[in-house]
Amino acid sequence: MELRRTSPSCNCIVLCGITLCLIFGTNLTVAIELYAPTEVLVENGTTGILKCSFKSSEVVSSAATVTWSFSPAGSDAGSGVSIFHFANGNHYPGSVAQFKDRLKWAGDLNKKDASIHLMEAQFNDNGTYSCTVMNPPDISVTAVQTQLKVVIKESLPKNNAAVIVGAVCGAVIGLILIAVVTCLIIKRHKSSHEYEGCISVESVSSHATRPGGKKEPSSEGSRCSSPSAPVQGPVIYAQLDHSGIKNPNSFHKMEPVVYADIRKN
């Protein structure tokens, strides 16, 4: 009995057919991509959020499920126990009494969000929290983990937004103060130059003057520094004689002439 050898071309056709059958006849399973913060700080006695989001190549169906597990601080993160399960729109508490009535669903599977709330955080809640999501046929091969640290209020980092707002408010107040001080200085400087009186002093004659003699006022030495001053009114002159001598032939000394400047309003 003779054996026939198949041609190479036939072998290629058979292999191609098998490959196409495998591609179109089999549903391939793709791993879901999970995302969560590495560390979360929560103030003692307050409500914190454990965030978990995912990316799936399949449309989220009613068969999608979410499972959260917990490993206490200092223990192996892979040996966690289930504390929360979400499926078909309902959540189911785990077997750990520590979290009884303190876990609440905060996610939305249609938005690829699988987060939960942890209410009344306690110091013994410190540990590793693992999130697992399944959206058949996609499943999460490896859970994503978050380290939770419950601390006192003073240990929380300062909010950057509050610091920025405070800095902006301080800068605005500083600019306002500078503007006010500048306006006051300008106003004071301007008011000091609005009016300056005019002073004139006549030189005193060293020789004697005879009674009845008239001495004309000298305009030399007069000064007026306000170009915007109002029109000068009448000027009153006065000469004072304190010699007390009535003899017309005697010499006496005259005081400097001072005049009052009366200006029109």
Side-chain angles (χ1 to χ4, degrees):
M1 183 176 178
E2 295 182 0
L3 296 176
R4 289 186 177 181
R5 293 183 179 181
T6 58
S7 62
S9 59
C10 293
N11 292 334
C12 291
I13 294 174
V14 172
L15 290 175
C16 290
I18 295 173
T19 302
L20 291 175
C21 290
L22 291 175
I23 293 176
F24 295 101
T26 305
N27 289 328
L28 299 178
T29 301
V30 180
I32 293 179
E33 297 179 11
L34 298 176
Y35 308 93
T38 304
E39 183 180 76
V40 173
L41 298 179
V42 179
E43 181 184 352
N44 182 38
T46 63
T47 299
I49 183 170
L50 299 173
K51 294 183 178 181
C52 177
S53 59
F54 62 94
K55 181 179 180 181
S56 175
S57 60
E58 297 290 332
V59 177
V60 178
S61 64
S62 58
T65 62
V66 177
T67 302
W68 281 87
S69 59
F70 168 71
S71 299
S75 63
D76 185 10
S79 61
V81 293
S82 177
I83 60 173
F84 187 89
H85 184 73
F86 183 86
N88 296 323
N90 298 316
H91 69 274
Y92 306 92
S95 58
V96 181
Q98 172 184 342
F99 297 99
K100 184 178 180 180
D101 298 329
R102 294 201 300 124
L103 294 176
K104 183 179 179 181
W105 175 249
D108 186 348
L109 292 183
N110 292 325
K111 296 181 180 180
K112 312 294 178 65
D113 187 0
S115 306
I116 60 174
H117 281 306
L118 173 61
M119 297 176 288
E120 299 178 3
Q122 306 169 2
F123 292 113
N124 59 351
D125 293 336
N126 290 338
T128 303
Y129 292 78
S130 301
C131 173
T132 304
V133 179
M134 292 187 179
N135 183 35
D138 291 352
I139 61 173
S140 55
V141 178
T142 304
V144 65
Q145 298 178 346
T146 297
Q147 293 289 334
L148 175 67
K149 293 183 179 180
V150 180
V151 297
I152 59 177
K153 184 177 181 179
E154 289 74 14
S155 299
L156 292 174
K158 293 182 179 180
N159 192 346
N160 293 333
V163 174
I164 294 174
V165 171
V168 172
C169 292
V172 172
I173 293 175
L175 292 175
I176 293 175
L177 291 177
I178 293 174
V180 171
V181 172
T182 303
C183 291
L184 291 176
I185 293 175
I186 294 175
K187 185 177 181 180
R188 183 176 180 181
H189 182 73
K190 183 178 180 181
S191 61
S192 64
H193 290 79
E194 286 181 353
Y195 175 78
E196 289 185 1
C198 296
I199 301 174
S200 177
V201 178
E202 289 189 351
S203 59
V204 179
S205 175
S206 58
H207 61 276
T209 57
R210 295 182 178 275
K214 295 183 180 179
K215 186 176 182 179
E216 297 296 332
S218 174
S219 60
E220 296 181 357
S222 63
R223 178 167 55 91
C224 184
S225 60
S226 178
S228 60
V231 179
Q232 180 174 324
V235 179
I236 300 174
Y237 296 89
Q239 290 183 342
L240 300 179
D241 182 7
H242 297 281
S243 64
I245 299 175
K246 299 182 179 180
N247 187 356
N249 297 323
S250 62
F251 294 96
H252 57 275
K253 183 178 180 180
M254 306 297 292
E255 287 189 353
V257 176
V258 180
Y259 67 85
D261 185 4
I262 302 177
R263 299 178 180 273
K264 295 181 180 179
N265 293 330

